[in-house]
Amino acid sequence: MRKILIATHGEFAGGLKQTMNFVLGENEKVGVLSAYTTPDFDMDREAASAVAEMEDGDELIVLTDVLGGSVANAFSGQLSHPGVYVLAGVNAPMLLAMVPMLESAVDTEELIQQGIQAAREGCVFINDLMKQVSEESEEDFV
């Protein structure tokens, strides 16, 4: 079974899951790990625990917030386990692109590449976009 775990510092992961639920509906194959929200939180223990829950043949795609951050680093330490994939820079477009493909026949690495592409395309400076659209509209009337 292929699953996604959104793992971030603070409550960001929960907010992303709420957005996903609003847009796509609930999905039991998407979990959340909100790091450092309790005083006794141990990131390395939580990452090891998440991976230990995997069964033979499972794949776990971990979407983390910050490259080089403690969450991404802890899960990177789990990459020796088969079926563990770790991404940094999670955003809503990435998640919304990947979740509908979880049960598809799409190869996991292709699914991840499509998620990364959606993340990149979803990051837009709207001021510039609107300026460009406005300029193009003016050119149509010249």
Side-chain angles (χ1 to χ4, degrees):
M1 179 181 306
R2 189 162 46 187
K3 296 180 182 179
I4 288 177
L5 177 63
I6 311 164
T8 67
H9 296 83
E11 301 293 341
F12 182 42
L16 283 170
K17 174 111 189 242
Q18 285 181 320
T19 299
M20 182 209 76
N21 289 345
F22 181 77
V23 175
L24 301 175
E26 299 261 344
N27 189 318
E28 72 281 351
K29 293 184 178 182
V30 179
V32 169
L33 191 152
S34 298
Y36 307 107
T37 56
T38 61
D40 62 339
F41 185 85
D42 182 325
M43 187 63 245
D44 290 325
R45 182 183 68 225
E46 293 296 328
S49 176
V51 170
E53 290 177 13
M54 295 173 63
E55 296 179 14
D56 286 345
D58 282 355
E59 293 180 307
L60 180 64
I61 304 168
V62 184
L63 307 180
T64 69
D65 49 1
V66 181
L67 179 63
S70 58
V71 177
N73 289 348
F75 278 101
S76 294
Q78 300 296 320
L79 290 176
S80 62
H81 296 272
V84 175
Y85 303 85
V86 181
L87 288 77
V90 64
N91 65 16
M94 174 189 281
L95 183 63
L96 295 175
M98 293 175 74
V99 169
M101 294 189 293
L102 278 175
E103 295 187 48
S104 74
V106 172
D107 177 72
T108 300
E109 291 192 17
E110 174 61 24
L111 183 151
I112 289 168
Q113 290 304 324
Q114 289 184 29
I116 291 170
Q117 185 63 33
R120 289 179 177 140
E121 291 173 2
C123 191
V124 176
F125 184 27
I126 294 176
N127 295 47
D128 279 352
L129 179 64
M130 295 306 291
K131 182 178 173 184
Q132 188 176 23
V133 167
S134 176
E135 289 171 356
E136 288 172 4
S137 294
E138 287 176 12
E139 289 174 8
D140 288 341
F141 292 107
V142 175

